[in-house]
Amino acid sequence: MKIGFIGLGSMGLPMARNLLDAGHELVVYNRTRSRADELARKGGRVAGSPREAAQSAEILVTMLADDAAVEEVMLGDQGALAGLKSGAVHASMSTISHLLSRRLAEQHRSKRQGYVAAPVFGRPEAAEAAKLWIIAAGETELIERCRPAFDAMGQGVEIVGDDPPMANVLKLAGNFLLASAIEAMGEAFALVQKSGIEPARFLEIVNGRLIRSPIYENYGKLIADRRWEPAGFKLRHGLKDVRLALAAAEEATAPMPLASLIRDHYLSAMARGWGDIDWAALARVVEEDAGIGAESRV
């Protein structure tokens, strides 16, 4: 299958690599061209613009940081929208707003191109192992056309509807749940630390006897070990996703008071200069607010 791929960050690069390893014909574009060197050595072709990356594609995959980056590569002067041929499909795998997803669907429809929203759950290590969970929404026939590519990048596809923004809202709601778990663990860890209990021991007990969740296990270890770097998912992107969830909630008239609290804690982290460390450092804000400094940690 001829695939164009735009966005070779910590998630996009291993996803593109897995597509090449699965035997697909790949044309890639990344703003920092050096990120594409490895893929060029493996047989991929490097495009000079998003438009060029899209021109020969049956499926165009975008995996970018935010709405602004997606708008730039799709709708800019050398944007992929102008290069994508009629009948080709854009699979947008970025975590973006439901509003931009709706706009992209309309733009592609006007040019007789297909559009599928397909954001993913999983950190870079899951992308490396082709173990992402892909949340897809769009016309069934378009999703099925994308399935060979999805199968090369993930361990499963969950279809949530035929309207693309549905997948984006589900993804934002899922990331809100993850952020809520991080917030809850940060508060609980602060309590046990100030009571003389080791966070790692607390995590061992509650995740072994009470919760049994890989989310609590994995993020709990990051928090207990205070392992904020290297970032698997940057804190600034966590703030972006909570803001997008709140925007979707406002349109749906669905109050999310906990999301507002988490947004404010992320803003506190940004004010401390922590935007590029892991978003699990939300717990670090709670820790510092509780007066737990390096000298007082168990």
Side-chain angles (χ1 to χ4, degrees):
M1 180 174 284
K2 294 180 179 180
I3 299 175
F5 198 105
I6 299 176
L8 301 176
S10 60
M11 294 289 290
L13 181 58
M15 291 165 67
R17 186 187 302 124
N18 287 333
L19 287 169
L20 271 177
D21 289 344
H24 295 290
E25 185 178 329
L26 202 65
V27 180
V28 300
Y29 173 79
N30 194 66
R31 185 171 57 182
T32 305
R33 191 182 178 96
S34 60
R35 294 282 294 177
D37 288 347
E38 173 195 339
L39 300 176
R41 289 192 295 270
K42 291 173 68 72
R45 183 165 68 84
V46 181
S49 68
R51 181 171 184 160
E52 182 185 344
Q55 283 174 341
S56 62
E58 299 169 271
I59 294 172
L60 174 70
V61 175
T62 51
M63 189 62 181
L64 297 152
D66 53 28
D67 281 28
V70 173
E71 288 189 55
E72 181 181 350
V73 303
M74 293 305 301
L75 307 175
D77 292 341
Q78 286 295 312
L81 189 75
L84 198 64
K85 62 189 178 183
S86 176
V89 184
H90 173 202
S92 174
M93 305 188 77
S94 314
T95 301
I96 59 173
S97 71
H98 69 296
L99 295 175
L100 177 57
S101 189
R102 187 179 300 155
R103 181 183 173 198
L104 288 170
E106 293 167 354
Q107 292 276 343
H108 285 298
R109 192 179 302 115
S110 72
K111 291 183 173 293
R112 293 185 170 83
Q113 301 160 350
Y115 176 68
V116 171
V120 303
F121 286 119
R123 287 166 68 89
E125 54 268 29
E128 290 278 359
K131 294 295 184 183
L132 297 169
W133 286 105
I134 298 167
I135 309 301
E139 294 179 21
T140 300
E141 184 267 334
L142 298 179
I143 294 173
E144 292 307 311
R145 283 169 57 188
C146 293
R147 195 174 286 274
F150 292 162
D151 288 346
M153 295 182 284
Q155 60 180 313
V157 179
E158 295 289 345
I159 300 173
V160 298
D162 58 6
D163 185 27
M166 295 172 70
N168 302 102
V169 171
L170 191 149
K171 166 62 174 174
L172 294 171
N175 275 17
F176 162 69
L177 286 178
L178 294 176
S180 300
I182 294 168
E183 170 75 25
M185 282 187 281
E187 294 183 20
F189 282 25
L191 171 61
V192 299
Q193 282 188 83
K194 297 200 80 171
S195 302
I197 302 166
E198 292 185 3
R201 178 58 176 151
F202 169 68
L203 178 64
E204 178 185 11
I205 293 170
V206 295
N207 203 48
R209 303 288 181 265
L210 179 63
I211 297 170
R212 293 186 180 275
S213 163
I215 298 302
Y216 275 76
E217 179 180 4
N218 295 335
Y219 279 105
K221 286 179 179 177
L222 290 179
I223 296 167
D225 296 341
R226 307 188 79 254
R227 195 164 69 247
W228 319 127
E229 296 180 277
F233 183 65
K234 290 183 179 180
L235 189 145
R236 67 175 70 253
H237 298 322
L239 172 60
K240 178 262 295 184
D241 288 356
V242 174
R243 282 173 164 162
L244 293 181
L246 283 166
E250 182 172 347
E251 183 176 295
T253 323
M256 296 182 74
L258 181 55
S260 296
L261 170 68
I262 292 169
R263 176 201 57 205
D264 289 349
H265 278 173
Y266 274 130
L267 284 171
S268 293
M270 291 293 292
R272 290 170 163 94
W274 298 346
D276 291 325
I277 64 177
D278 199 276
W279 76 321
L282 173 67
R284 186 178 175 186
V285 176
V286 178
E287 182 181 82
E288 292 201 357
D289 286 350
I292 300 172
E295 69 284 350
S296 59
R297 292 186 192 104
V298 175

